[in-house]
Amino acid sequence: MFFTYLRRELRRRRKAALVVASGLALGIALVIVVTSVSAGMSAAQDKVLQSLYGLGTDMTVTKAQKPPQEGGNGTRPRFRFDARGEGEGGDGEQSSDMVVPQGFETLDAATVTRVAGQEGVAKAVGGLSLQVVKVNGQFKREELRRGQGGQGSQGGGRGSGGAGDGVQGGGADFDVNSYSVYGTDVAQPAMGPLTTSKISSGRGFQTGETDAAVAVLDSAYAQKNKLAVGAEITVKKTVFKVVGIATADSGDAAANVYVPLKQAQALAGTPDKITTVYVQAADSQAIGSVKQAIQKNVPDTTVTTSADLADTVSGSLSTASSLASTVGAWLSYTVLAAAFLVAGLLTSSAVSRRVREFGTLKALGWTSSRVTRQVVGEALVNGLIGGALGIGIGLAAAYAITAASPSLTAHLGGGGGGGRGAGGGGRMFGQGARHAAAKAVDVALTAPVSLSTIGLAVALAVAGGLVAGGFGGWRASRLRPADALRRVE
């Protein structure tokens, strides 16, 4: 009897049911879109932080550079070239490299062991970030050029020539090239910045190549300099064989050139020194306590977690994330509350128009609770219909957002990290501390809809039906048979 009457009444009032269901569908669809976009923002931010940190890394340990002393020289470039005389190759090409740690103060390699010994640390590995400034070119001697009327003897010196004689040419022509080199611990390839890149050509490092003069190049750097697997590059008179080309998963690569850690230490003249310790926590829920333990037991260091880096993210990704988590959330909640209220008022209004019907049913023996259950049942069905429509609209909107894939840009401020970033003029000669972790990453926005989001939509549909049914049921329960008799003509 209940379902028969329910089906008949919904058919009779299709327009009213569609209005209630449409209002609920709009609110539910908006909640699905906002929830899915927020999930996409979180995924995009994780991708950005992963590109800065490295796979399997929960935090990094570094030591901030000391500010230069007032009036001091600081770290200044110093290049030496041979002064060759005539007949000694003075016009030959000369080259000089300056290799210095970039971004952070160096730490003792023993710091890795100390960090790894802290409670809650599963694994720790060190790395050394370097900046290479290469000056390459040649000196040119001046040449004595004689004019058309010159009759002076060749041994007469500069003043013995005729009219139009003079000294021309001479000087120097040098090219300055800056690029970054990262020393990675090849014995632990599962951690470190190279893990954010995929080997697109050749191979990666092998665990036995601790002392080998081998290198892996970033694909962009290799393409710019027309280098391929099997080529050779020279850094500070050390010849490295290129064994692989790596392509960054997102954003810029950690460095232009990767070499084994011991080779990087030898290039910089800093044996047993590192700039960064990459840390993996045993439990992702204990990252905060691990950070506190490292800060307490390894003094004079800076511990940076993914949460700390997330605070440095700015740009359109940060703006969109803020809109999704604040403005979008409040908007969806407001629309949903309004949809619930409108559904309840429409249901209550419909009950008022059915006074004669419900009064007659009560006169025939229906109890108030039975009338209330009937109204709540109708409202619940309307809510489920609205939920189905809302889920369909929300899924379509999320699919459209993912298909369109709008691009968002994340700017990561230099608040810590791995001493990352390709070389550039602004980072030469010890200036990398302010910019080492600064980079811009472009990511495509997606709007994944999870099963939990679908479950939330169903719960909201049921809640909307119950709210509307509560309004209408309360109104129906107060009707008396006498009200129906007064309306009989």
Side-chain angles (χ1 to χ4, degrees):
M1 179 67 180
F2 173 80
F3 292 103
T4 301
Y5 192 83
L6 177 65
R7 184 174 61 255
R8 191 194 69 182
E9 291 302 315
L10 289 175
R11 286 180 177 177
R12 286 178 54 194
R13 297 174 174 82
R14 286 191 295 267
K15 292 184 178 179
L18 184 59
V19 171
V20 174
S22 299
L24 291 174
L26 178 62
I28 292 171
L30 188 58
V31 170
I32 291 176
V33 171
V34 171
T35 303
S36 59
V37 169
S38 296
M41 297 296 175
S42 299
Q45 189 174 72
D46 290 342
K47 186 176 182 180
V48 170
L49 297 180
Q50 176 180 298
S51 72
L52 183 69
Y53 251 148
L55 299 174
T57 304
D58 294 316
M59 63 191 77
T60 57
V61 180
T62 57
K63 183 177 182 180
Q65 277 189 333
K66 297 179 181 179
Q69 298 294 327
E70 185 176 356
N73 292 331
T75 304
R76 300 180 60 181
R78 187 177 183 85
F79 300 96
R80 295 182 181 276
F81 297 99
D82 294 334
R84 299 169 181 168
E86 185 177 357
E88 298 178 358
D91 289 341
E93 185 173 302
Q94 299 193 51
S95 176
S96 179
D97 292 349
M98 185 185 73
V99 182
V100 294
Q102 82 158 346
F104 302 100
E105 285 284 324
T106 56
L107 298 165
D108 289 334
T111 306
V112 178
T113 304
R114 294 181 61 187
V115 171
Q118 301 303 311
E119 183 177 357
V121 175
K123 189 183 298 183
V125 61
L128 179 62
S129 181
L130 302 176
Q131 186 76 26
V132 179
V133 182
K134 186 180 186 67
V135 178
N136 185 71
Q138 62 182 344
F139 294 101
K140 292 183 180 180
R141 288 195 188 90
E142 58 189 14
E143 297 180 355
L144 179 61
R145 298 290 180 88
R146 297 185 178 280
Q148 294 180 353
Q151 300 293 330
S153 65
Q154 294 182 356
R158 296 183 181 179
S160 62
D165 291 353
V167 177
Q168 297 181 2
D173 182 14
F174 281 83
D175 176 63
V176 179
N177 180 32
S178 174
Y179 58 95
S180 56
V181 174
Y182 195 89
T184 182
D185 190 342
V186 298
Q188 303 207 41
M191 293 182 65
L194 185 55
T195 55
T196 62
S197 299
K198 294 181 179 179
I199 301 298
S200 54
S201 179
R203 62 174 178 84
F205 294 115
Q206 298 177 349
T207 55
E209 293 180 327
T210 304
D211 299 309
V214 293
V216 173
L217 305 183
D218 172 57
S219 58
Y221 179 79
Q223 182 178 5
K224 179 181 178 181
N225 293 276
K226 299 180 180 180
L227 298 171
V229 174
E232 294 182 344
I233 61 172
T234 303
V235 184
K236 206 173 183 180
K237 298 182 180 181
T238 301
V239 179
F240 291 87
K241 181 180 179 181
V242 178
V243 297
I245 304 295
T247 302
D249 287 340
S250 64
D252 297 330
N256 301 133
V257 180
Y258 302 90
V259 299
L261 178 58
K262 284 191 175 181
Q263 290 288 346
Q265 291 170 337
L267 290 175
T270 54
D272 296 326
K273 294 292 184 178
I274 57 174
T275 53
T276 309
V277 181
Y278 293 87
V279 183
Q280 184 183 61
D283 183 1
S284 60
Q285 303 299 319
I287 292 178
S289 60
V290 173
K291 175 181 178 179
Q292 293 178 357
I294 296 175
Q295 289 177 326
K296 178 181 178 181
N297 299 319
V298 187
D300 299 327
T301 58
T302 300
V303 183
T304 308
T305 67
S306 57
D308 298 328
L309 289 177
D311 294 335
T312 71
V313 176
S314 61
S316 59
L317 174 61
S318 177
T319 302
S321 179
S322 177
L323 288 174
S325 61
T326 55
V327 178
W330 281 108
L331 177 61
S332 62
Y333 296 152
T334 302
V335 172
L336 190 63
F340 282 6
L341 180 61
V342 170
L345 293 177
L346 289 175
T347 303
S348 179
S349 176
V351 170
S352 299
R353 293 194 296 271
R354 298 168 65 184
V355 171
R356 180 186 301 177
E357 174 189 345
F358 290 135
T360 302
L361 290 174
K362 281 191 172 185
L364 294 176
W366 280 39
T367 61
S368 295
S369 60
R370 185 175 180 182
V371 173
T372 301
R373 286 197 302 271
Q374 193 69 43
V375 174
V376 172
E378 295 176 12
L380 187 59
V381 172
N382 289 336
L384 292 175
I385 295 174
L389 292 174
I391 291 173
I393 297 172
L395 288 175
Y399 176 79
I401 293 174
T402 302
S405 296
S407 180
L408 299 175
T409 300
H411 298 286
L412 293 130
R420 300 172 60 94
R427 298 183 190 166
M428 292 184 191
F429 318 140
Q431 297 300 318
R434 294 191 298 271
H435 306 284
K439 60 182 293 187
V441 180
D442 292 327
V443 291
L445 173 64
T446 60
V449 181
S450 62
L451 292 177
S452 60
T453 303
I454 299 296
L456 175 62
V458 173
L460 291 176
V462 173
L466 293 176
V467 169
F471 274 91
W474 175 79
R475 182 74 179 83
S477 65
R478 297 174 61 85
L479 295 176
R480 296 177 300 171
D483 295 329
L485 295 177
R486 282 198 298 268
R487 298 197 178 202
V488 174
E489 295 179 357

